Amino acid sequence: MLLARLTAGGCIDKHNDGYGSHRLVHKIQVPLLTNEKARMFVQPDWKHLEEGRACELNSLVIHGAEN
């Protein structure tokens, strides 16, 4: 398990996890707190994740986030 905090104005650059990641291992994103400006990029779209709602992410595709 990994917990990450994206501070106000913070950004996680678009990337893919690439080498060392297994094609069958996906990440589960669950925003504990959010706001209307927070959004996540999962190729090819930006989306707002709802607070407390799980979203599965294939980490081999391009993804990133901004707050």
Side-chain angles (χ1 to χ4, degrees), residues 31-44:
L32 301 178
L33 295 171
T34 190
N35 65 69
E36 67 279 350
K37 293 183 181 180
R39 61 188 191 148
M40 180 163 189
F41 179 81
V42 181
Q43 191 176 21

Side-chain angles (χ1 to χ4, degrees), residues 13-25:
D13 292 331
K14 293 178 187 175
H15 67 283
N16 67 351
D17 292 353
Y19 182 78
S21 292
H22 191 278
R23 66 182 181 83
L24 298 178
V25 175

Side-chain angles (χ1 to χ4, degrees), residues 15-64:
H15 67 283
N16 67 351
D17 292 353
Y19 182 78
S21 292
H22 191 278
R23 66 182 181 83
L24 298 178
V25 175
H26 291 204
K27 291 182 178 178
I28 305 296
Q29 308 286 327
V30 182
L32 301 178
L33 295 171
T34 190
N35 65 69
E36 67 279 350
K37 293 183 181 180
R39 61 188 191 148
M40 180 163 189
F41 179 81
V42 181
Q43 191 176 21
D45 299 312
W46 283 98
K47 61 173 75 173
H48 174 77
L49 302 183
E50 293 179 40
E51 190 172 299
R53 184 173 176 146
C55 176
E56 183 180 18
L57 166 66
N58 176 346
S59 60
L60 297 179
V61 301
I62 303 296
H63 58 281

